[in-house]
């Protein structure tokens, strides 16, 4: 359970922003989407490798 304590003189928008940030860091939404349907382990590994290659290529492109 995510708890956000609202401080004195703090706007609701600011507290909501902190809540959203905490929620995103927990990874609940990401896990929910991954559990929406079954994915074979071999396909999951393949996608993970493709993401790693893409990220590495983007890092190399940024440094040049």
């Amino acid at each position: 359970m995510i708890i956000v304590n609202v401080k004195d003189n703090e706007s609701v928008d600011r507290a909501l922003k902190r809540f959203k940030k905490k929620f995103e860091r927990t990874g609940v939404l990401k896990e929910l989407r991954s559990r929406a349907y079954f994915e074979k382990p071999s396909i999951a590994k393949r996608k993970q490798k493709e993401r790693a290659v893409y990220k590495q290529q983007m890092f190399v492109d940024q440094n040049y």
Side-chain angles (χ1 to χ4, degrees):
M1 178 186 268
I2 299 174
I3 298 172
V4 177
N5 295 326
V6 181
K7 300 173 186 173
D8 293 339
N9 298 328
E10 183 180 28
S11 67
V12 176
D13 294 330
R14 184 74 176 152
L16 185 61
K17 186 175 182 178
R18 287 193 302 130
F19 171 77
K20 286 180 182 179
K21 208 177 267 190
K22 281 186 177 184
F23 183 76
E24 186 178 323
R25 286 184 188 149
T26 59
V28 173
L29 198 58
K30 186 177 180 180
E31 186 176 341
L32 180 69
R33 287 180 180 151
S34 70
R35 290 179 181 219
Y37 60 93
F38 179 75
E39 187 174 48
K40 288 173 50 178
S42 60
I43 294 174
K45 288 177 189 174
R46 186 183 319 147
K47 284 185 179 182
Q48 188 177 11
K49 286 179 185 178
E50 288 174 355
R51 275 191 232 112
V53 168
Y54 177 77
K55 283 184 177 182
Q56 190 173 20
Q57 189 62 38
M58 292 299 291
F59 180 74
V60 168
D61 289 345
Q62 286 179 354
N63 289 335
Y64 285 112

